[in-house]
Amino acid sequence: IVWRDLVFLETRKGLGVNFLKTERAALGMAVGYSFGRDEDDSDDLQGLGDVEGGAKLTAFAEYTLGPLRFSSALSGQVSGDDTGVLADFSVAKPYQLSDRLMLIPALTTSIASEEYMTSYFGVSGAQSTRSGLSAFDAEGGFKDVGLVLNARYALSEDWSLNGTIGYSRLLGDAADSPITKSENQLRSDLGLTYRF
């Protein structure tokens, strides 16, 4: 949901405000919720304990240079467990295929702090004893690199249908962690956007 390109509500960032919004640039902040991780989500997580969720604060910036759109976001959990910070970067090239249809392929990468990597990919001595996994000290650094394809179809002047399919490959300690079952990660999204 977007109001006058100033205030928005979306699944990834949460409730946000664009402090700056022009044809070429955007700068803003958002507050959302990080759901953490529950060891009951998978048998592979048994003995690792829960990563408590909490409120998440995100600062973001976007800039268009020629045909390319550069984006960055820095997010961190501000309540519950201290899970560190995650920085996301992407470069995209929009293609307006028709009056209604736009395709936006993008290259993405993310860098995680040591606290983030420890929370989600590290295995302490106590967790190793409980889970049977090898102890693992996860260091901060590049977490993944990926490709994303977003499609946006205008249903009307106010409504649009958005679909995303993405592939990312875990890097460094995220890939080497005994918690990780596959370095290859897939995701997809489908949603509606309303502007007023």
Side-chain angles (χ1 to χ4, degrees):
I1 302 173
V2 183
W3 180 71
R4 296 187 178 180
D5 282 333
L6 176 65
V7 179
F8 62 85
L9 179 64
E10 63 173 53
T11 54
R12 293 195 175 275
K13 291 189 182 83
L15 179 63
V17 175
N18 289 308
F19 300 126
L20 170 70
K21 182 71 172 180
T22 67
E23 277 191 21
R24 297 173 66 90
L27 183 67
M29 296 193 73
V31 60
Y33 188 81
S34 175
F35 289 92
R37 187 182 70 197
D38 191 330
E39 71 172 350
D40 292 334
D41 289 341
S42 169
D43 290 341
D44 296 322
L45 298 174
Q46 295 300 308
L48 296 177
D50 299 337
V51 178
E52 185 182 358
K56 178 179 69 172
L57 194 63
T58 301
F60 61 88
E62 299 176 1
Y63 186 74
T64 299
L65 182 63
L68 301 177
R69 182 185 302 165
F70 296 88
S71 302
S72 61
L74 184 67
S75 60
Q77 196 168 308
V78 293
S79 69
D81 288 343
D82 178 12
T83 57
V85 296
L86 184 68
D88 295 299
F89 303 93
S90 70
V91 56
K93 171 67 169 71
Y95 293 92
Q96 190 73 51
L97 300 184
S98 69
D99 290 343
R100 292 179 177 267
L101 179 62
M102 177 182 284
L103 292 182
I104 311 173
L107 294 172
T108 67
T109 190
S110 60
I111 302 173
S113 69
E114 184 172 350
E115 292 82 3
Y116 182 98
M117 294 294 291
T118 297
S119 295
Y120 289 100
F121 296 98
V123 181
S124 69
Q127 289 173 321
S128 175
T129 300
R130 294 193 304 265
S131 67
L133 297 175
S134 300
F136 186 76
D137 183 18
E139 301 287 337
F142 280 95
K143 173 179 166 283
D144 57 44
V145 62
L147 292 168
V148 175
L149 179 62
N150 178 268
R152 185 178 304 156
Y153 185 80
L155 300 171
S156 68
E157 186 175 339
D158 300 320
W159 288 94
S160 62
L161 180 66
N162 303 283
T164 301
I165 184 167
Y167 164 80
S168 62
R169 185 172 180 83
L170 296 178
L171 303 174
D173 283 354
D176 296 337
S177 170
I179 298 173
T180 300
K181 296 302 178 185
S182 174
E183 298 172 352
N184 303 304
Q185 307 287 306
L186 296 173
R187 71 176 179 87
S188 61
D189 301 294
L190 185 64
L192 288 169
T193 298
Y194 178 69
R195 291 181 176 270
F196 63 99

